[in-house]
Amino acid sequence: TLDRSSAASDVYKRQIEVVDEMITGLANAKKEEETTWPVARYVHAMGLNERARILQLQSKNDESVATAQKAIALLEELKGDYKDAPEVPRMLGMSYGNMAIIYANRGNREEAVRLTDLAVANCEVALRTDPTERQALRILATHQRFLVYTLRHLKDWPRVETEALKLGKMRIPPLWREGAARDLLRSALRAPEERVAAMRETAMKWLVQVDGEGHQVNLSNEYYDPLRDDERFQQLNGQ
């Protein structure tokens, strides 16, 4: 185990060295010299983002956050200069999302929600610029799932409902959609009575959808208790 840990440390060290060399070479890139995309400032931001990711893998979280903040400052500047480049807000979404994970792991879930909201918003900007941007679609769904997860831990049930509904409408794996159904049912336990039936119906439709995709629904989960008398629930997993 020690050998593997030492080997991993050496790999990270070499990766940081390569990225730092690239960053150093781009640090003095000037806006007025930009002619073709991707411009040097964008590549610089990519390098900073990669450096932040490697540091995060090493649990060097303070240094990772500081590096990510540099990337964000550069990307926010680029977003104003290149409004038609979906890569910029997409990468901003990644930067904010990675920082959100660090803050959530530290127990600062309020800051994690704020950063994840920024991550989601930037991915949405990327998709408005180019609705076919597949990476932005994937990254948006990942951030949206993490947002629901973090809100659940904060017990912010009204927002869990709102964000779970958004997640369930996205192009996501069946396992994620089942999770969104459970979060909707969790929220229904605390929701005003007039909304509960609609929330449970939406959750039921999502379970039928994932069942149709071949996903095995965890029928024993206690949050499904309000659905057990529904004939559709009784037919899940070929019962």
Side-chain angles (χ1 to χ4, degrees):
T1 302
L2 184 60
D3 287 344
R4 284 199 296 270
S5 176
S6 177
S9 178
D10 288 343
V11 169
Y12 289 140
K13 182 180 178 181
R14 287 196 296 272
Q15 288 176 338
I16 287 286
E17 287 172 353
V18 171
V19 172
D20 281 349
E21 185 177 346
M22 182 183 77
I23 289 171
T24 300
L26 294 165
N28 296 319
K30 293 181 174 55
K31 177 179 175 180
E32 56 270 20
E33 295 174 356
E34 295 170 355
T35 55
T36 58
W37 187 264
V39 297
R41 283 186 297 157
Y42 178 75
V43 180
H44 185 190
M46 286 178 63
L48 288 167
N49 236 11
E50 179 63 10
R51 189 179 203 280
R53 185 189 71 82
I54 296 166
L55 291 166
Q56 190 172 356
L57 289 172
Q58 294 177 283
S59 298
K60 296 180 178 180
N61 290 324
D62 288 339
E63 198 175 344
S64 177
V65 167
T67 304
Q69 288 171 335
K70 291 178 183 177
I72 286 168
L74 196 51
L75 288 164
E76 290 286 5
E77 179 183 295
L78 282 162
K79 191 165 75 167
D81 294 337
Y82 295 94
K83 294 181 173 60
D84 295 329
E87 302 97 321
V88 175
R90 185 228 298 155
M91 190 184 293
L92 263 171
M94 291 174 62
S95 299
Y96 282 122
N98 288 338
M99 285 177 59
I101 292 170
I102 291 173
Y103 278 95
N105 288 339
R106 288 174 168 174
N108 190 344
R109 298 190 185 277
E110 291 82 1
E111 180 64 5
V113 166
R114 186 187 74 83
L115 291 166
T116 309
D117 280 336
L118 289 168
V120 167
N122 274 286
C123 286
E124 289 173 342
V125 170
L127 287 168
R128 284 197 296 273
T129 306
D130 180 2
T132 66
E133 236 281 334
R134 290 186 180 181
Q135 277 188 286
L137 278 168
R138 177 179 55 80
I139 296 166
L140 172 60
T142 301
H143 293 326
Q144 187 69 26
R145 187 188 188 209
F146 184 72
L147 178 60
V148 174
Y149 167 84
T150 308
L151 289 165
R152 187 204 316 152
H153 280 272
L154 284 171
K155 298 182 172 25
D156 187 346
W157 301 113
R159 271 209 76 188
V160 170
E161 175 190 351
T162 299
E163 304 303 337
L165 283 168
K166 290 181 184 177
L167 178 63
K169 294 174 183 175
M170 292 179 178
R171 192 184 308 165
I172 53 177
L175 179 64
W176 293 18
R177 200 176 312 281
E178 184 190 358
R182 283 199 303 273
D183 282 320
L184 203 55
L185 292 169
R186 285 185 179 97
S187 301
L189 295 174
R190 292 93 172 170
E193 187 176 351
E194 63 271 15
R195 286 213 308 279
V196 171
M199 294 167 70
R200 289 176 176 168
E201 176 62 18
T202 298
M204 187 71 251
K205 287 180 178 177
W206 288 347
L207 294 177
V208 170
Q209 180 180 344
V210 301
D211 182 68
E213 295 170 352
H215 174 71
Q216 293 282 309
V217 176
N218 178 14
L219 299 175
S220 65
N221 192 285
E222 63 183 299
Y223 290 106
Y224 297 148
D225 288 351
L227 306 180
R228 295 192 189 280
D229 291 335
D230 191 307
E231 184 178 345
R232 293 169 296 175
F233 186 86
Q234 295 166 10
Q235 293 174 354
L236 294 176
N237 296 348
Q239 292 186 102

